[in-house]
Amino acid sequence: MKYIDEFRDPEKAAVLMREINAMMEKLPYTAEKPLTIMELCGGHTHAIFRYGIEGMLPKSIELIHGPGCPVCVLPMGRVDDAVAIAEQPGVMFTTFGDAMRVPGSKKSLMQAKADGADIRMVYSPMDALTLAKNNPDKKVVFFALGFETTMPSSALTVLQAEAEGVKNFFLFCNHITIIPTIRALLEDPLLRIEGFVGPGHVSLVIGTTPYGFVAEDYRKPVVVSGFEPLDVLQSLWMVIKQISEGRAMVENQYQRFVSDAGNAVAQAAVDKVFVLRDHFEWRGLGSIEHSGVELRPAYASFDAERHFAMPGVQVADPEGCQCGEVLTGTLKPWQCRMFGAKCNPANPLGALMVSSEGTCAAYYQYGGVKEAS
Amino acid sequence: MCLGIPGQIVAVQDNVKKIALVDVGGVRRAVNIACVVDDEHPIEKAVGQWVLVHVGFAMGRLDEKQAHETLALLAELGEAQEEIEAMKKSGAA
Protein backbone atom coordinates (compact mmCIF):
# COMPACT_ATOMS: atom_id res chain seq x y z
CA MET A 1 0.00 0.00 0.00
CA LYS A 2 1.05 3.52 -0.73
CA TYR A 3 3.49 5.08 1.76
CA ILE A 4 3.34 2.21 4.22
CA ASP A 5 6.74 0.63 3.62
CA GLU A 6 8.36 4.04 3.30
CA PHE A 7 7.17 4.98 6.79
CA ARG A 8 8.42 1.70 8.25
CA ASP A 9 12.00 2.02 6.98
CA PRO A 10 14.29 0.75 9.80
CA GLU A 11 17.25 2.83 8.57
CA LYS A 12 15.30 6.05 8.91
CA ALA A 13 14.10 4.90 12.34
CA ALA A 14 17.72 4.42 13.42
CA VAL A 15 18.51 7.95 12.25
CA LEU A 16 15.64 9.39 14.29
CA MET A 17 16.69 7.37 17.33
CA ARG A 18 20.21 8.78 17.14
CA GLU A 19 18.78 12.32 16.94
CA ILE A 20 16.48 11.68 19.90
CA ASN A 21 19.30 10.19 21.98
CA ALA A 22 21.61 13.09 21.17
CA MET A 23 18.99 15.64 22.23
CA MET A 24 18.09 13.75 25.40
CA GLU A 25 21.73 13.64 26.49
CA LYS A 26 21.75 17.43 26.63
CA LEU A 27 18.47 17.67 28.57
CA PRO A 28 18.30 17.25 32.36
CA TYR A 29 15.93 14.23 32.33
CA THR A 30 16.74 10.88 33.97
CA ALA A 31 15.10 7.48 34.34
CA GLU A 32 13.92 8.63 37.79
CA LYS A 33 12.69 12.00 36.54
CA PRO A 34 11.81 11.34 32.91
CA LEU A 35 10.47 13.65 30.23
CA THR A 36 6.76 12.80 30.02
CA ILE A 37 5.01 12.87 26.67
CA MET A 38 1.37 11.85 26.21
CA GLU A 39 -0.04 10.38 23.04
CA LEU A 40 -3.71 11.24 23.03
CA CYS A 41 -4.92 8.78 20.43
CA GLY A 42 -5.54 5.08 20.99
CA GLY A 43 -4.25 4.43 17.47
CA HIS A 44 -0.88 5.80 18.54
CA THR A 45 -0.92 3.68 21.70
CA HIS A 46 -1.51 0.64 19.51
CA ALA A 47 1.31 1.61 17.10
CA ILE A 48 3.73 2.30 19.98
CA PHE A 49 3.19 -1.19 21.37
CA ARG A 50 2.92 -3.01 18.07
CA TYR A 51 6.27 -1.65 16.85
CA GLY A 52 7.98 -1.70 20.24
CA ILE A 53 8.66 2.03 20.13
CA GLU A 54 8.65 2.44 23.91
CA GLY A 55 11.47 -0.10 24.23
CA MET A 56 13.60 1.77 21.69
CA LEU A 57 13.46 5.06 23.57
CA PRO A 58 15.97 6.07 26.24
CA LYS A 59 14.76 5.55 29.82
CA SER A 60 14.72 9.30 30.29
CA ILE A 61 11.52 9.47 28.18
CA GLU A 62 8.24 8.23 29.59
CA LEU A 63 5.25 7.84 27.30
CA ILE A 64 1.88 8.36 28.95
CA HIS A 65 -0.99 6.77 27.10
CA GLY A 66 -3.92 9.13 27.02
CA PRO A 67 -7.69 8.78 26.96
CA GLY A 68 -8.09 8.69 23.19
CA CYS A 69 -9.86 5.38 22.79
CA PRO A 70 -13.58 6.11 22.49
CA VAL A 71 -14.56 2.52 23.26
CA CYS A 72 -12.44 2.61 26.42
CA VAL A 73 -13.96 5.79 27.80
CA LEU A 74 -17.56 4.74 27.12
CA PRO A 75 -19.18 4.65 30.56
CA MET A 76 -20.96 1.56 31.82
CA GLY A 77 -24.31 3.35 32.03
CA ARG A 78 -24.26 3.99 28.28
CA VAL A 79 -23.57 0.31 27.60
CA ASP A 80 -26.59 -0.50 29.80
CA ASP A 81 -28.64 1.93 27.71
CA ALA A 82 -27.44 0.27 24.52
CA VAL A 83 -28.40 -3.17 25.86
CA ALA A 84 -31.81 -1.83 26.95
CA ILE A 85 -32.48 -0.50 23.44
CA ALA A 86 -31.21 -3.68 21.79
CA GLU A 87 -33.48 -5.89 23.92
CA GLN A 88 -36.68 -4.08 22.94
CA PRO A 89 -38.92 -6.00 20.55
CA GLY A 90 -38.67 -5.08 16.89
CA VAL A 91 -35.22 -3.55 17.30
CA MET A 92 -32.21 -4.47 15.20
CA PHE A 93 -29.19 -3.00 17.00
CA THR A 94 -26.04 -2.34 14.97
CA THR A 95 -22.57 -1.59 16.29
CA PHE A 96 -18.89 -1.50 15.42
CA GLY A 97 -17.31 -4.77 16.52
CA ASP A 98 -15.08 -2.92 19.02
CA ALA A 99 -18.05 -2.16 21.28
CA MET A 100 -19.43 -5.70 21.51
CA ARG A 101 -17.45 -6.78 24.57
CA VAL A 102 -17.46 -3.54 26.57
CA PRO A 103 -18.88 -4.54 29.95
CA GLY A 104 -22.16 -3.01 31.11
CA SER A 105 -23.27 -3.25 34.72
CA LYS A 106 -25.25 -6.42 33.93
CA LYS A 107 -24.08 -7.55 30.52
CA SER A 108 -22.22 -6.56 27.38
CA LEU A 109 -23.80 -6.36 23.92
CA MET A 110 -22.15 -9.71 23.20
CA GLN A 111 -23.99 -11.29 26.13
CA ALA A 112 -27.24 -9.58 25.14
CA LYS A 113 -26.84 -11.07 21.66
CA ALA A 114 -26.30 -14.52 23.18
CA ASP A 115 -29.50 -13.96 25.20
CA GLY A 116 -31.42 -13.46 21.97
CA ALA A 117 -31.28 -9.73 21.16
CA ASP A 118 -30.92 -8.92 17.44
CA ILE A 119 -27.48 -7.31 17.49
CA ARG A 120 -25.41 -7.03 14.32
CA MET A 121 -21.82 -5.97 13.85
CA VAL A 122 -21.35 -3.48 11.02
CA TYR A 123 -18.26 -1.99 9.43
CA SER A 124 -19.87 1.34 8.59
CA PRO A 125 -22.93 3.37 9.62
CA MET A 126 -23.92 3.18 5.94
CA ASP A 127 -24.28 -0.60 6.39
CA ALA A 128 -26.71 0.08 9.24
CA LEU A 129 -28.72 2.38 6.96
CA THR A 130 -28.81 -0.34 4.30
CA LEU A 131 -30.11 -2.79 6.91
CA ALA A 132 -32.85 -0.28 7.78
CA LYS A 133 -33.88 0.00 4.12
CA ASN A 134 -33.87 -3.79 3.70
CA ASN A 135 -35.83 -4.38 6.92
CA PRO A 136 -38.66 -1.81 6.94
CA ASP A 137 -40.52 -3.72 9.68
CA LYS A 138 -37.58 -3.32 12.09
CA LYS A 139 -36.29 -0.30 13.97
CA VAL A 140 -32.60 -0.25 13.12
CA VAL A 141 -30.43 1.54 15.69
CA PHE A 142 -26.79 2.44 15.06
CA PHE A 143 -24.51 2.72 18.12
CA ALA A 144 -22.58 5.84 17.12
CA LEU A 145 -19.19 6.00 18.81
CA GLY A 146 -15.96 7.85 18.38
CA PHE A 147 -14.24 11.20 18.37
CA GLU A 148 -14.34 13.67 15.48
CA THR A 149 -12.87 10.94 13.25
CA THR A 150 -16.13 9.00 13.00
CA MET A 151 -18.54 11.86 13.75
CA PRO A 152 -18.78 12.97 10.09
CA SER A 153 -19.66 9.44 8.96
CA SER A 154 -22.59 9.36 11.41
CA ALA A 155 -23.66 12.86 10.36
CA LEU A 156 -23.55 12.01 6.64
CA THR A 157 -25.50 8.79 7.27
CA VAL A 158 -28.26 10.71 9.06
CA LEU A 159 -28.37 13.22 6.19
CA GLN A 160 -28.57 10.32 3.74
CA ALA A 161 -31.41 8.72 5.75
CA GLU A 162 -33.24 12.05 5.68
CA ALA A 163 -32.70 12.47 1.93
CA GLU A 164 -34.05 8.98 1.26
CA GLY A 165 -36.93 9.37 3.70
CA VAL A 166 -35.89 6.36 5.81
CA LYS A 167 -38.10 6.39 8.91
CA ASN A 168 -36.84 3.30 10.75
CA PHE A 169 -33.21 4.36 11.20
CA PHE A 170 -32.02 5.71 14.56
CA LEU A 171 -28.72 6.90 15.96
CA PHE A 172 -27.75 6.20 19.58
CA CYS A 173 -25.23 9.00 19.75
CA ASN A 174 -22.18 8.67 21.99
CA HIS A 175 -19.78 10.79 19.98
CA ILE A 176 -17.23 12.73 21.99
CA THR A 177 -14.95 15.66 21.26
CA ILE A 178 -11.23 15.88 21.93
CA ILE A 179 -10.58 19.55 22.74
CA PRO A 180 -12.56 19.85 26.03
CA THR A 181 -10.95 16.61 27.12
CA ILE A 182 -7.42 17.91 26.53
CA ARG A 183 -8.36 21.02 28.48
CA ALA A 184 -9.69 18.90 31.36
CA LEU A 185 -6.45 16.89 31.37
CA LEU A 186 -4.32 20.05 31.42
CA GLU A 187 -6.34 21.40 34.35
CA ASP A 188 -5.74 18.22 36.38
CA PRO A 189 -3.21 19.15 39.09
CA LEU A 190 -1.95 15.55 39.33
CA LEU A 191 -1.04 15.41 35.69
CA ARG A 192 2.53 16.16 34.68
CA ILE A 193 2.89 16.10 30.92
CA GLU A 194 5.44 18.14 29.04
CA GLY A 195 4.34 17.55 25.49
CA PHE A 196 1.68 15.89 23.37
CA VAL A 197 1.63 13.69 20.31
CA GLY A 198 -1.63 14.87 18.73
CA PRO A 199 -4.24 12.61 17.12
CA GLY A 200 -3.78 12.29 13.36
CA HIS A 201 -7.23 11.21 12.29
CA VAL A 202 -9.20 13.54 14.56
CA SER A 203 -7.03 16.30 13.09
CA LEU A 204 -7.88 15.16 9.57
CA VAL A 205 -11.36 16.48 10.39
CA ILE A 206 -10.75 19.39 12.80
CA GLY A 207 -7.32 20.51 11.52
CA THR A 208 -4.42 21.62 13.72
CA THR A 209 -5.64 25.11 14.66
CA PRO A 210 -7.89 23.99 17.60
CA TYR A 211 -4.81 22.81 19.55
CA GLY A 212 -3.41 26.36 19.65
CA PHE A 213 -4.47 26.88 23.29
CA VAL A 214 -2.27 23.98 24.45
CA ALA A 215 0.82 25.79 23.19
CA GLU A 216 -0.30 29.34 23.93
CA ASP A 217 -2.06 29.01 27.30
CA TYR A 218 -0.28 25.98 28.74
CA ARG A 219 3.11 26.27 27.01
CA LYS A 220 3.17 22.61 25.91
CA PRO A 221 4.27 21.43 22.46
CA VAL A 222 1.74 19.50 20.34
CA VAL A 223 2.79 17.53 17.26
CA VAL A 224 -0.02 16.03 15.18
CA SER A 225 1.22 12.62 14.07
CA GLY A 226 0.63 9.83 11.59
CA PHE A 227 0.40 6.19 12.61
CA GLU A 228 3.35 4.42 11.02
CA PRO A 229 6.39 3.81 13.24
CA LEU A 230 8.43 6.54 11.55
CA ASP A 231 5.55 8.98 11.95
CA VAL A 232 5.43 8.37 15.70
CA LEU A 233 9.22 8.51 16.09
CA GLN A 234 9.46 11.67 14.03
CA SER A 235 6.69 13.28 16.08
CA LEU A 236 8.44 12.39 19.34
CA TRP A 237 11.62 13.87 17.90
CA MET A 238 9.71 17.06 17.00
CA VAL A 239 8.24 17.32 20.53
CA ILE A 240 11.68 16.83 22.13
CA LYS A 241 13.24 19.31 19.70
CA GLN A 242 10.69 21.95 20.74
CA ILE A 243 11.42 21.27 24.41
CA SER A 244 15.18 21.42 23.92
CA GLU A 245 14.80 24.73 22.07
CA GLY A 246 12.40 26.13 24.67
CA ARG A 247 9.53 26.37 22.17
CA ALA A 248 5.87 25.41 22.57
CA MET A 249 4.03 25.25 19.25
CA VAL A 250 1.50 23.23 17.33
CA GLU A 251 3.34 21.36 14.59
CA ASN A 252 2.07 18.94 11.98
CA GLN A 253 4.07 15.81 11.18
CA TYR A 254 1.14 14.26 9.28
CA GLN A 255 1.03 16.83 6.49
CA ARG A 256 0.45 14.20 3.84
CA PHE A 257 -3.13 13.93 5.11
CA VAL A 258 -3.78 16.70 7.64
CA SER A 259 -4.19 20.38 6.79
CA ASP A 260 -4.28 23.22 9.31
CA ALA A 261 -7.91 23.95 8.52
CA GLY A 262 -9.10 20.33 8.50
CA ASN A 263 -11.86 18.93 6.31
CA ALA A 264 -14.48 21.59 5.55
CA VAL A 265 -17.07 19.16 4.13
CA ALA A 266 -16.85 16.93 7.20
CA GLN A 267 -17.04 19.89 9.59
CA ALA A 268 -20.12 21.25 7.81
CA ALA A 269 -21.91 17.88 8.03
CA VAL A 270 -21.10 17.60 11.75
CA ASP A 271 -22.29 21.17 12.44
CA LYS A 272 -25.50 20.55 10.55
CA VAL A 273 -26.47 17.38 12.42
CA PHE A 274 -24.91 17.61 15.88
CA VAL A 275 -24.85 20.07 18.75
CA LEU A 276 -22.68 20.06 21.91
CA ARG A 277 -24.16 18.54 25.06
CA ASP A 278 -23.71 20.45 28.33
CA HIS A 279 -21.89 17.48 29.84
CA PHE A 280 -20.89 13.97 28.88
CA GLU A 281 -19.81 11.16 31.16
CA TRP A 282 -16.45 9.44 30.57
CA ARG A 283 -15.42 6.15 32.06
CA GLY A 284 -12.62 6.79 34.52
CA LEU A 285 -12.61 10.57 34.01
CA GLY A 286 -16.11 11.51 35.16
CA SER A 287 -18.25 14.21 33.62
CA ILE A 288 -16.55 16.68 31.28
CA GLU A 289 -18.28 19.86 30.16
CA HIS A 290 -19.14 20.14 26.45
CA SER A 291 -17.28 16.91 25.66
CA GLY A 292 -20.06 15.11 23.82
CA VAL A 293 -22.56 15.85 21.06
CA GLU A 294 -26.18 14.93 20.41
CA LEU A 295 -28.50 15.22 17.42
CA ARG A 296 -29.91 18.68 16.79
CA PRO A 297 -33.69 19.07 17.34
CA ALA A 298 -34.16 19.15 13.55
CA TYR A 299 -32.99 15.50 13.46
CA ALA A 300 -34.89 14.41 16.59
CA SER A 301 -36.80 11.78 14.60
CA PHE A 302 -33.50 9.88 14.16
CA ASP A 303 -32.50 10.17 17.82
CA ALA A 304 -32.65 6.83 19.66
CA GLU A 305 -32.43 8.63 23.01
CA ARG A 306 -35.75 10.37 22.32
CA HIS A 307 -37.44 7.35 20.80
CA PHE A 308 -36.59 4.47 23.13
CA ALA A 309 -37.04 3.98 26.84
CA MET A 310 -33.72 3.33 28.53
CA PRO A 311 -32.37 3.46 32.05
CA GLY A 312 -30.12 6.50 31.51
CA VAL A 313 -28.44 5.84 34.84
CA GLN A 314 -24.81 6.61 35.60
CA VAL A 315 -23.10 3.50 36.91
CA ALA A 316 -19.85 3.49 38.86
CA ASP A 317 -16.97 1.39 37.53
CA PRO A 318 -16.55 -2.04 39.15
CA GLU A 319 -14.96 -1.95 42.58
CA GLY A 320 -11.19 -2.17 42.38
CA CYS A 321 -11.00 -0.85 38.81
CA GLN A 322 -8.43 1.92 38.46
CA CYS A 323 -9.09 2.83 34.82
CA GLY A 324 -9.21 6.53 35.68
CA GLU A 325 -5.72 6.62 37.14
CA VAL A 326 -4.37 4.66 34.18
CA LEU A 327 -6.13 6.98 31.73
CA THR A 328 -4.54 10.08 33.21
CA GLY A 329 -1.15 8.40 33.42
CA THR A 330 -0.82 8.52 37.21
CA LEU A 331 -0.84 4.70 37.35
CA LYS A 332 0.76 2.16 35.01
CA PRO A 333 -1.56 -0.66 33.91
CA TRP A 334 0.37 -3.36 35.76
CA GLN A 335 0.13 -1.32 38.98
CA CYS A 336 -3.67 -1.80 38.92
CA ARG A 337 -4.80 -4.44 41.40
CA MET A 338 -7.02 -6.08 38.77
CA PHE A 339 -4.48 -6.24 35.90
CA GLY A 340 -3.71 -9.73 34.65
CA ALA A 341 -5.48 -12.42 36.65
CA LYS A 342 -8.72 -10.53 37.32
CA CYS A 343 -8.82 -8.31 34.23
CA ASN A 344 -7.49 -9.53 30.89
CA PRO A 345 -8.55 -9.35 27.21
CA ALA A 346 -10.55 -12.59 27.43
CA ASN A 347 -12.38 -11.37 30.51
CA PRO A 348 -12.17 -7.59 30.68
CA LEU A 349 -13.41 -5.82 33.79
CA GLY A 350 -12.43 -2.36 32.75
CA ALA A 351 -12.83 -0.85 29.32
CA LEU A 352 -9.10 -0.24 28.85
CA MET A 353 -8.74 -3.99 28.50
CA VAL A 354 -11.52 -4.32 25.92
CA SER A 355 -10.36 -2.55 22.81
CA SER A 356 -7.07 -3.42 21.14
CA GLU A 357 -6.40 0.32 21.27
CA GLY A 358 -6.85 0.36 25.05
CA THR A 359 -3.72 0.89 27.09
CA CYS A 360 -4.18 -2.17 29.31
CA ALA A 361 -4.92 -4.51 26.39
CA ALA A 362 -1.81 -3.20 24.62
CA TYR A 363 0.36 -3.83 27.67
CA TYR A 364 -1.16 -7.26 28.15
CA GLN A 365 -0.76 -8.27 24.52
CA TYR A 366 2.67 -6.79 23.82
CA GLY A 367 4.73 -7.71 26.83
CA GLY A 368 3.65 -5.33 29.52
CA VAL A 369 3.02 -8.39 31.68
CA LYS A 370 6.70 -9.19 31.62
CA GLU A 371 7.47 -5.66 32.66
CA ALA A 372 5.01 -6.04 35.50
CA SER A 373 6.54 -9.18 36.95
CA MET B 1 -12.93 1.58 14.08
CA CYS B 2 -10.68 4.63 14.48
CA LEU B 3 -7.88 3.30 12.35
CA GLY B 4 -7.76 4.77 8.88
CA ILE B 5 -6.65 2.60 6.00
CA PRO B 6 -5.24 4.04 2.76
CA GLY B 7 -6.98 3.01 -0.43
CA GLN B 8 -7.17 4.11 -4.05
CA ILE B 9 -10.36 5.22 -5.78
CA VAL B 10 -10.87 2.93 -8.80
CA ALA B 11 -14.34 3.94 -10.02
CA VAL B 12 -17.12 6.39 -9.18
CA GLN B 13 -20.39 4.49 -8.71
CA ASP B 14 -22.85 7.24 -7.83
CA ASN B 15 -22.18 10.91 -8.61
CA VAL B 16 -25.12 12.15 -6.54
CA LYS B 17 -24.62 10.13 -3.37
CA LYS B 18 -20.85 10.38 -3.94
CA ILE B 19 -20.16 6.68 -3.69
CA ALA B 20 -16.96 5.25 -5.20
CA LEU B 21 -15.32 1.88 -5.41
CA VAL B 22 -12.09 1.98 -3.41
CA ASP B 23 -9.31 -0.60 -3.49
CA VAL B 24 -7.94 -1.12 0.01
CA GLY B 25 -5.06 -3.55 -0.07
CA GLY B 26 -6.77 -5.63 -2.76
CA VAL B 27 -10.22 -5.52 -1.17
CA ARG B 28 -12.71 -3.42 -3.09
CA ARG B 29 -15.71 -1.85 -1.47
CA ALA B 30 -18.14 1.02 -1.89
CA VAL B 31 -16.95 4.06 0.02
CA ASN B 32 -18.62 7.41 0.55
CA ILE B 33 -16.26 10.06 -0.86
CA ALA B 34 -18.34 13.17 -0.04
CA CYS B 35 -15.66 14.52 2.31
CA VAL B 36 -12.85 14.37 -0.24
CA VAL B 37 -14.54 16.07 -3.20
CA ASP B 38 -14.88 19.84 -3.47
CA ASP B 39 -14.52 22.56 -6.12
CA GLU B 40 -10.78 22.02 -6.33
CA HIS B 41 -11.10 18.24 -6.33
CA PRO B 42 -14.17 17.45 -8.48
CA ILE B 43 -15.65 13.97 -8.47
CA GLU B 44 -14.80 13.62 -12.19
CA LYS B 45 -11.11 13.61 -11.24
CA ALA B 46 -11.45 11.32 -8.23
CA VAL B 47 -10.35 8.07 -9.90
CA GLY B 48 -6.73 7.27 -9.05
CA GLN B 49 -6.73 9.44 -5.93
CA TRP B 50 -5.37 7.84 -2.71
CA VAL B 51 -7.62 8.41 0.28
CA LEU B 52 -7.75 7.43 3.94
CA VAL B 53 -10.83 5.32 4.64
CA HIS B 54 -12.59 5.31 8.03
CA VAL B 55 -15.70 3.17 8.58
CA GLY B 56 -16.68 3.31 4.93
CA PHE B 57 -16.00 7.02 4.45
CA ALA B 58 -12.99 8.59 2.77
CA MET B 59 -11.93 11.23 5.28
CA GLY B 60 -8.69 12.53 3.79
CA ARG B 61 -6.84 12.87 0.51
CA LEU B 62 -3.20 11.86 0.32
CA ASP B 63 -0.98 14.81 -0.55
CA GLU B 64 1.87 13.06 -2.37
CA LYS B 65 4.04 16.17 -2.39
CA GLN B 66 3.85 16.36 1.40
CA ALA B 67 4.56 12.65 1.76
CA HIS B 68 7.71 13.09 -0.34
CA GLU B 69 8.75 16.13 1.68
CA THR B 70 8.39 14.28 4.98
CA LEU B 71 10.44 11.38 3.64
CA ALA B 72 13.01 13.75 2.15
CA LEU B 73 13.42 15.45 5.51
CA LEU B 74 14.09 12.10 7.15
CA ALA B 75 16.58 11.23 4.42
CA GLU B 76 18.38 14.56 4.91
CA LEU B 77 18.60 13.91 8.62
CA GLY B 78 20.30 10.60 7.85
CA GLU B 79 22.71 12.22 5.41
CA ALA B 80 23.61 14.89 7.94
CA GLN B 81 24.37 12.21 10.51
CA GLU B 82 26.57 10.37 8.00
CA GLU B 83 28.43 13.60 7.34
CA ILE B 84 29.00 14.14 11.03
CA GLU B 85 30.09 10.52 11.49
CA ALA B 86 32.51 10.88 8.58
CA MET B 87 33.82 14.09 10.08
CA LYS B 88 34.38 12.41 13.44
CA LYS B 89 36.16 9.48 11.83
CA SER B 90 38.44 11.71 9.80
CA GLY B 91 39.31 13.56 12.99
CA ALA B 92 38.48 16.92 11.48
CA ALA B 93 37.07 19.61 13.73
Side-chain angles (χ1 to χ4, degrees):
Chain A
M1 269 183 279
K2 194 102 174 174
Y3 299 115
I4 296 281
D5 293 341
E6 290 93 330
F7 283 93
R8 289 181 186 173
D9 178 355
E11 273 180 36
K12 288 199 175 72
V15 167
L16 280 167
M17 280 315 304
R18 283 201 292 274
E19 288 285 318
I20 288 173
N21 281 318
M23 278 194 297
M24 288 308 292
E25 275 170 26
K26 292 186 188 135
L27 288 167
Y29 298 100
T30 61
E32 292 72 36
K33 285 202 157 181
L35 169 65
T36 49
I37 300 173
M38 175 180 269
E39 88 277 4
L40 287 158
C41 172
H44 286 141
T45 306
H46 187 77
I48 283 165
F49 282 94
R50 181 169 171 199
Y51 300 109
I53 288 170
E54 206 163 32
M56 292 161 68
L57 297 173
K59 294 266 183 262
S60 54
I61 299 173
E62 183 185 355
L63 297 181
I64 295 180
H65 315 295
C69 166
V71 174
C72 301
V73 295
L74 186 68
M76 221 175 226
R78 299 297 280 189
V79 179
D80 290 348
D81 291 342
V83 169
I85 295 170
E87 290 186 333
Q88 289 177 35
V91 167
M92 184 186 285
F93 194 88
T94 61
T95 174
F96 294 131
D98 310 44
M100 284 296 278
R101 293 190 306 122
V102 182
S105 67
K106 292 182 190 71
K107 55 175 109 169
S108 65
L109 286 168
M110 184 81 96
Q111 288 156 334
K113 184 179 167 71
D115 291 345
D118 187 355
I119 299 174
R120 318 263 177 120
M121 276 188 269
V122 289
Y123 161 70
S124 167
M126 289 302 269
D127 297 342
L129 182 59
T130 302
L131 280 171
K133 287 188 279 187
N134 293 344
N135 296 275
D137 55 327
K138 295 273 187 187
K139 290 175 177 175
V140 176
V141 181
F142 176 66
F143 195 16
L145 293 172
F147 283 98
E148 281 87 344
T149 319
T150 51
M151 224 182 262
S153 58
S154 294
L156 287 165
T157 305
V158 169
L159 292 173
Q160 187 66 38
E162 187 194 34
E164 295 186 43
V166 182
K167 303 279 185 220
N168 63 328
F169 176 75
F170 302 89
L171 203 72
F172 179 38
C173 182
N174 291 272
H175 283 300
I176 44 182
T177 69
I178 194 82
I179 296 297
T181 314
I182 300 175
R183 198 182 286 278
L185 278 174
L186 286 164
E187 290 292 333
D188 183 343
L190 283 178
L191 198 76
R192 32 165 207 102
I193 292 171
E194 284 159 271
F196 290 95
V197 172
H201 293 153
V202 165
S203 308
L204 202 63
V205 175
I206 69 171
T208 60
T209 315
Y211 305 107
F213 76 99
V214 183
E216 281 151 30
D217 302 346
Y218 295 89
R219 304 294 305 154
K220 315 270 186 201
V222 181
V223 177
V224 170
S225 174
F227 293 86
E228 294 304 327
L230 278 185
D231 290 322
V232 177
L233 274 180
Q234 188 181 13
S235 299
L236 288 169
W237 170 68
M238 289 164 78
V239 170
I240 299 164
K241 196 160 191 289
Q242 285 198 37
I243 289 169
S244 68
E245 292 169 2
R247 291 183 293 129
M249 299 167 73
V250 180
E251 292 180 320
N252 182 4
Q253 184 276 335
Y254 204 26
Q255 292 186 24
R256 64 185 184 278
F257 278 115
V258 172
S259 66
D260 290 346
N263 189 315
V265 181
Q267 288 169 13
V270 166
D271 284 347
K272 190 166 186 194
V273 174
F274 295 119
V275 61
L276 282 177
R277 295 175 194 257
D278 288 339
H279 287 88
F280 197 72
E281 186 76 13
W282 294 55
R283 190 186 291 243
L285 296 179
S287 179
I288 301 177
E289 201 173 296
H290 296 146
S291 65
V293 299
E294 62 188 345
L295 286 157
R296 286 189 184 275
Y299 299 95
S301 62
F302 297 103
D303 191 347
E305 278 178 80
R306 294 170 203 246
H307 191 84
F308 295 96
M310 48 186 216
V313 177
Q314 289 181 10
V315 183
D317 286 336
E319 209 171 321
C321 269
Q322 294 177 291
C323 298
E325 285 102 313
V326 174
L327 274 176
T328 54
T330 49
L331 199 72
K332 289 288 175 189
W334 67 83
Q335 293 169 327
C336 173
R337 291 184 294 272
M338 299 293 139
F339 184 84
K342 288 184 182 155
C343 180
N344 53 61
N347 187 20
L349 273 183
L352 290 175
M353 195 57 97
V354 175
S355 164
S356 65
E357 287 159 46
T359 309
C360 294
Y363 267 89
Y364 192 94
Q365 190 175 356
Y366 294 110
V369 179
K370 200 176 85 200
E371 207 166 336
S373 60
Chain B
M1 80 204 200
C2 305
L3 298 179
I5 304 180
Q8 191 171 27
I9 298 174
V10 291
V12 174
Q13 293 181 316
D14 188 328
N15 278 0
V16 179
K17 290 183 188 169
K18 301 197 175 81
I19 306 292
L21 198 63
V22 174
D23 185 312
V24 180
V27 179
R28 290 182 171 203
R29 83 156 266 155
V31 166
N32 184 310
I33 59 166
C35 291
V36 294
V37 293
D38 55 30
D39 292 345
E40 277 177 53
H41 306 87
I43 198 160
E44 294 76 31
K45 290 187 180 169
V47 171
Q49 173 70 52
W50 282 81
V51 293
L52 207 55
V53 180
H54 286 269
V55 299
F57 289 75
M59 293 307 307
R61 274 184 307 270
L62 173 70
D63 184 332
E64 296 210 29
K65 190 167 150 273
Q66 290 291 356
H68 282 295
E69 278 177 20
T70 306
L71 289 168
L73 183 120
L74 291 172
E76 270 173 38
L77 207 58
E79 282 161 22
Q81 282 181 359
E82 278 167 28
E83 284 284 313
I84 293 163
E85 285 303 312
M87 235 183 258
K88 276 186 197 160
K89 275 181 196 153
S90 74

